Amino acid sequence: MKRRLTYTGMGILFIIALTFAAYKLMNARDYQLFGNITSHVITEEKVVALTFDDGPTKNTSAILALLDSYQVKATFFLIGDDIEENPEEAKKIVEAGHQIGNHTYSHKRMVLKSPSFIKNEIEKNDALIASIGYQKTPVVRPPYGKKLFGLPYYLNKHQRKTITWNLEPDTFFTNAEDKINYVTENIQPGSIILMHPMYDPTDNELQAIEGMLQALSNDGYTFVTVDELLQFQQ
Ligand SMILES: [Zn+2]
């Protein structure tokens, strides 16, 4: 009886350890079981990639005008059903010469989903991205940065690149000034910044982005797309 209890106890500990490992794996920005994943590149050049998740929404024109005024190209991780809702906005992003990434069709957590669900989420959005005139194979960013087995397996099998980030001011701050300070204090050559300007009724996020464009340019940084950033990998 005593021995059985010990085995039960060990079993519970083992399950807790496995759950913890799976949780870490699901959220890791630098590691997945299959294929490559990039949160930043190692370089001495002062280059940085500005990346925007979600959308497109009606806010697109304001974002494009801001980037244009700094002559900066960014990377937009678009959601398929938002492209269906706002195809003209999506086309404007492509026409302005920015990079497009695939942020899945429906923006669900890509965890514990079937292979056919994952395939559909990526390929349906690939087709929409092609339909707005983008001709390259889009890099992929999992919604909420979450992935476990199925998505990395699919992306590796299809030789697709997974792109995360190493600077996420929106996670820690709401105020534009705080976000700018966080980025200027933590920036390193090769960083990937994640911002969410698409749902931004107050323009707070656009102010934060403008502050980063100014501050990092003054600090000698050049803004590049994710594809360009990958070329700097040492
Ligand atoms: Zn998202």
Side-chain angles (χ1 to χ4, degrees):
M1 192 63 197
K2 203 171 179 190
R3 173 167 289 184
R4 185 181 290 169
L5 274 177
T6 309
Y7 283 142
T8 309
M10 279 168 62
I12 289 168
L13 276 179
F14 182 67
I15 289 166
I16 290 171
L18 264 188
T19 307
F20 181 70
Y23 178 79
K24 297 290 275 185
L25 187 61
M26 174 179 79
N27 289 300
R29 281 186 268 113
D30 282 309
Y31 180 75
Q32 59 189 8
L33 283 178
F34 310 99
N36 71 72
I37 182 167
T38 302
S39 66
H40 64 287
V41 306
I42 307 294
T43 175
E44 273 152 33
E45 300 290 323
K46 288 182 120 178
V47 284
V48 53
L50 194 48
T51 68
F52 303 133
D53 274 17
D54 311 332
T57 64
K58 299 293 173 209
N59 223 16
T60 299
S61 296
I63 302 165
L64 292 179
L66 174 61
L67 293 173
D68 196 42
S69 68
Y70 285 82
Q71 295 183 308
V72 161
K73 299 290 183 230
T75 304
F76 290 75
F77 288 89
L78 300 181
I79 300 171
D81 59 13
D82 284 343
I83 298 177
E84 283 178 337
E85 223 166 285
N86 298 297
E88 294 310 314
E89 308 295 328
K91 281 178 199 158
K92 282 183 204 163
I93 302 172
V94 177
E95 279 160 18
H98 299 286
Q99 184 177 344
I100 306 292
N102 183 330
H103 199 37
T104 74
Y105 176 72
S106 66
H107 204 265
K108 302 229 165 53
R109 284 177 166 74
M110 294 292 127
V111 174
L112 306 178
K113 297 286 193 293
S114 71
S116 64
F117 180 89
I118 286 167
K119 178 178 159 61
N120 188 50
E121 281 287 317
I122 298 299
E123 294 180 10
K124 198 170 172 186
N125 199 16
D126 279 344
L128 283 161
I129 290 170
S131 78
I132 55 169
Y134 191 70
Q135 289 169 349
K136 291 188 192 165
T137 303
V139 293
V140 176
R141 175 174 283 169
Y144 315 100
K146 294 191 191 301
K147 71 270 167 299
L148 208 47
F149 310 111
L151 182 65
Y153 182 80
Y154 170 89
L155 295 174
N156 183 44
K157 198 171 130 197
H158 294 87
Q159 298 175 314
R160 302 287 293 269
K161 291 182 181 125
T162 309
I163 305 295
T164 55
W165 59 84
N166 66 337
L167 292 174
E168 48 184 318
D170 297 345
T171 304
F172 310 115
F173 303 102
T174 49
N175 172 296
E177 206 181 307
D178 292 339
K179 291 181 189 181
I180 298 163
N181 289 337
Y182 159 84
V183 166
T184 53
E185 282 161 20
N186 292 285
I187 187 84
Q188 285 183 339
S191 289
I192 300 178
I193 305 173
L194 163 62
M195 299 295 288
H196 301 82
M198 285 289 177
Y199 313 101
D200 181 26
T202 61
D203 281 352
N204 173 62
E205 191 76 341
L206 285 180
Q207 285 163 23
I209 291 167
E210 176 151 29
M212 288 170 203
L213 289 166
Q214 267 168 3
L216 297 180
S217 300
N218 290 344
D219 194 18
Y221 274 91
T222 303
F223 288 87
V224 296
T225 64
V226 164
D227 277 348
E228 289 165 345
L229 191 77
L230 294 174
Q231 304 298 316
F232 285 91
Q233 180 78 270
Q234 286 179 346

